[in-house]
Amino acid sequence: MRYYIIAGEASGDLHGSNLIKEIRKSDTAANIRCWGGDRMQQAGGELVKHYRKLAFMGFWEVAKNIGTILKNLQFCKDDITKYKPDALILIDYPGFNLRIAEWAKQQGYKVIYYISPQVWAWKANRVHKMKKCIDKMLVILPFEKDYYKDKWNWDVEYVGHPLIEVVEEAQLQSGSLPLATKPIIALLPGSRRQEILKKLPIMLEVSRIYPACQFIVAKAPGQEDSFYESLLSMYPNVSSVRDATYNLLLQSRAALVTSGTATLETALFGVPEVVCYKGSNISYQIAKRLIKVKYISLVNLIMDKPVVKELIQNELTPGNLRRELDSLLSDTATQQRLKEDYTSLRQLLGQGGRASARAAASIVEYLQKK
């Protein structure tokens, strides 16, 4: 069969690549065209457009780039029309993908959504449209199945979280890692240029307080080395790695992490973390009024309690980061509590089984019945 898969971010590229691998096991003659990144391409998808040309974060940033976004939407529709897929598989990235879903349904394509938009946090009214234009919804957070059923009378399928298998695979390979000579603090400042520029300078200032530690920045795949060099040059105990975030987390004593999927990855590796968020003031003020959740990190949302500390906007300062980092590195009670909560988190997310394989089998089976 012919599959057209759209992912618009680094995390979508990761999960999309594993989905492609599993689809190929069930459908050995699968023809796959995709929007995503290097991982999806390496897994066997024919890459149409890279996510680094698509990612705009925040209300103000989206508004400034609306012309580019509209051109991408039209290009995508034209490309789907030429390709004539048996199914359109959309991975998260709702601002773009829900527009494509509505159009695709009108054109008669089968629409499958893998990794639900976070409508339980904001824009819940999107669900009315989603129910009409999505033929099959596969969710990865345990509370989402009940949310859709209880609030919207919509039966969706929970397949487990795909990060479980990704982290397990990385941990199996950890025996080949060199031993670190100093305690390592991982800095995960995000993947988009504007968010890195907002948060990384604050994270870097903390390195001056801990000269006995080695701070290591995980570079984003979409950003050039030269971009980081100018930011890191003044900090002697800071280095960086590329395409080695998981190896970095496997060796880290603690981490400062930008809100998003990385907060969950860090927790699944068992690394104590501080969650960091700082956006443009306009975007933050709008988001604060619209987003209806108690927490910004996936760890706290899934566990429904403050497992990891969140430093948001004006709270994200070198002084506050130092206080929290001291606690993570030195307070045995904090360390034990985190260890127990992380174990519970992993058990909760693993209930659905291997997510990529379950999702792929469900998709192929659904299409073969049609």
Side-chain angles (χ1 to χ4, degrees), residues 74-117:
Q74 189 56 54
F75 176 85
C76 185
K77 292 173 184 177
D78 292 343
D79 198 54
I80 292 169
T81 302
K82 290 175 189 172
Y83 183 66
K84 295 181 174 59
D86 294 292
L88 184 65
I89 302 172
L90 307 171
I91 302 177
D92 201 3
Y93 195 50
F96 188 91
N97 275 340
L98 289 179
R99 287 178 171 86
I100 292 296
E102 185 178 16
W103 168 85
K105 186 64 178 175
Q106 291 168 356
Q107 306 305 309
Y109 295 108
K110 291 295 176 193
V111 179
I112 298 163
Y113 217 108
Y114 176 47
I115 306 179
S116 168

Side-chain angles (χ1 to χ4, degrees), residues 38-273:
D38 301 340
R39 292 174 184 270
M40 290 172 74
Q41 188 173 35
Q42 289 161 8
E46 183 185 355
L47 190 63
V48 180
K49 192 159 288 208
H50 202 287
Y51 67 78
R52 63 173 166 256
K53 297 181 180 177
L54 307 173
F56 303 105
M57 182 189 72
F59 302 95
W60 177 240
E61 290 78 10
V62 168
K64 285 195 300 183
N65 291 282
I66 192 67
T68 301
I69 293 167
L70 291 173
K71 285 178 184 175
N72 283 334
L73 280 165
Q74 189 56 54
F75 176 85
C76 185
K77 292 173 184 177
D78 292 343
D79 198 54
I80 292 169
T81 302
K82 290 175 189 172
Y83 183 66
K84 295 181 174 59
D86 294 292
L88 184 65
I89 302 172
L90 307 171
I91 302 177
D92 201 3
Y93 195 50
F96 188 91
N97 275 340
L98 289 179
R99 287 178 171 86
I100 292 296
E102 185 178 16
W103 168 85
K105 186 64 178 175
Q106 291 168 356
Q107 306 305 309
Y109 295 108
K110 291 295 176 193
V111 179
I112 298 163
Y113 217 108
Y114 176 47
I115 306 179
S116 168
Q118 295 177 349
V119 289
W120 34 265
W122 76 307
K123 291 192 175 181
N125 59 346
R126 282 174 161 175
V127 181
H128 295 293
K129 188 179 291 184
M130 288 163 60
K131 284 183 72 175
K132 292 177 183 175
C133 65
I134 296 170
D135 296 295
K136 189 172 190 65
M137 171 71 86
L138 305 173
V139 301
I140 65 169
L141 298 175
F143 61 80
E144 289 178 322
K145 185 174 176 66
D146 289 340
Y147 169 81
Y148 280 115
K149 183 62 178 175
D150 296 345
K151 191 170 178 64
W152 301 99
N153 193 33
W154 188 10
D155 287 316
V156 302
E157 185 177 349
Y158 173 56
V159 294
H161 204 292
L163 274 180
I164 293 286
E165 64 208 62
V166 172
V167 169
E168 284 177 352
E169 186 178 335
Q171 288 171 326
L172 287 173
Q173 299 168 358
S174 63
S176 61
L177 293 173
L179 291 174
T181 55
K182 289 183 176 181
I184 290 175
I185 311 297
L187 303 182
L188 278 60
S191 59
R192 302 180 185 95
R193 183 172 289 251
Q194 61 259 37
E195 69 179 344
I196 296 167
L197 289 171
K198 282 282 184 186
K199 282 168 281 228
L200 184 54
I202 300 170
M203 295 177 176
L204 291 171
E205 279 301 304
V206 182
S207 71
R208 299 188 191 279
I209 305 165
Y210 299 91
C213 293
Q214 179 66 38
F215 286 72
I216 303 180
V217 178
K219 294 178 181 176
Q223 305 299 336
E224 300 296 327
D225 288 340
S226 57
F227 169 65
Y228 291 95
E229 285 167 9
S230 59
L231 292 167
L232 307 187
S233 60
M234 300 296 291
Y235 301 92
N237 60 329
V238 179
S239 57
S240 61
V241 294
R242 181 176 292 284
D243 299 326
T245 301
Y246 287 177
N247 279 356
L248 171 59
L249 289 173
L250 282 162
Q251 298 184 79
S252 296
R253 286 276 305 279
L256 309 182
V257 188
T258 289
S259 57
T261 304
T263 64
L264 186 55
E265 291 172 309
T266 303
L268 291 175
F269 276 102
V271 181
E273 67 180 305

